Amino acid sequence: MWHNQLWDEQRESYFTWEIASSPAERRDIYRPGAKFCIRSLLEPGMITLAVQHCCYDVKQRLITRGRAAGTPNLISPQISWELHKKVDILPWVLCKGDWLRYHQMVPPNNAVKCEENPKDREFYNQIMDLRNI
């Protein structure tokens, strides 16, 4: 796995992340429309099992809502891939791919207040596409 660091203005420190766009991540199913995704990594001394999963569009802008938006992972795959699948992926599967319903339970995190992406028209189209399935 390839790891990198990004500066977090709010925490005033770096956080380590990994690419979360491998074939095993099934971006085409769980985050359709995302160009790439990253996931924060747990670091020594952290008192949480949760990490943040962020996805970006072709212009490298954070996707803050809609079908391709990343969401918090309540259990980091670093702890256990099997437990991560049960806690973070299975609820999405039980929602039968209805990302709007899933996001009501696990909303995308835009704590850094990035501009809403996608724009209203595209977001509305995604909702209408979902309702026509």
Side-chain angles (χ1 to χ4, degrees), residues 23-131:
E25 297 278 353
R26 295 308 311 253
R27 191 178 69 240
D28 59 324
I29 293 175
Y30 302 115
R31 310 284 185 230
K35 178 67 176 169
F36 69 96
C37 299
I38 64 173
R39 180 183 294 107
S40 61
L41 294 174
L42 296 173
E43 297 184 25
M46 293 181 86
I47 57 171
T48 181
L49 301 178
V51 292
Q52 183 63 45
H53 188 173
C54 301
C55 295
Y56 298 84
D57 65 15
V58 295
K59 295 182 180 177
Q60 298 183 356
R61 295 175 303 191
L62 180 68
I63 300 170
T64 61
R65 61 186 183 168
R67 65 181 177 222
T71 54
N73 291 164
L74 302 176
I75 302 292
S76 170
Q78 282 176 270
I79 301 297
S80 165
W81 184 256
E82 287 303 314
L83 193 54
H84 166 68
K85 283 177 21 183
K86 288 177 183 174
V87 173
D88 295 309
I89 297 173
L90 184 58
W92 187 94
V93 172
L94 294 173
C95 288
K96 298 183 173 129
D98 182 340
W99 55 266
L100 197 55
R101 186 173 166 202
Y102 178 74
H103 286 179
Q104 288 174 342
M105 297 183 312
V106 185
N109 178 356
N110 187 12
V112 295
K113 307 290 186 237
C114 291
E115 182 179 330
E116 285 187 342
N117 182 25
K119 300 283 187 201
D120 289 341
R121 179 180 212 107
E122 172 59 23
F123 183 61
Y124 175 77
N125 287 341
Q126 289 180 16
I127 293 171
M128 290 297 100
D129 287 347
L130 186 61
R131 295 198 173 144

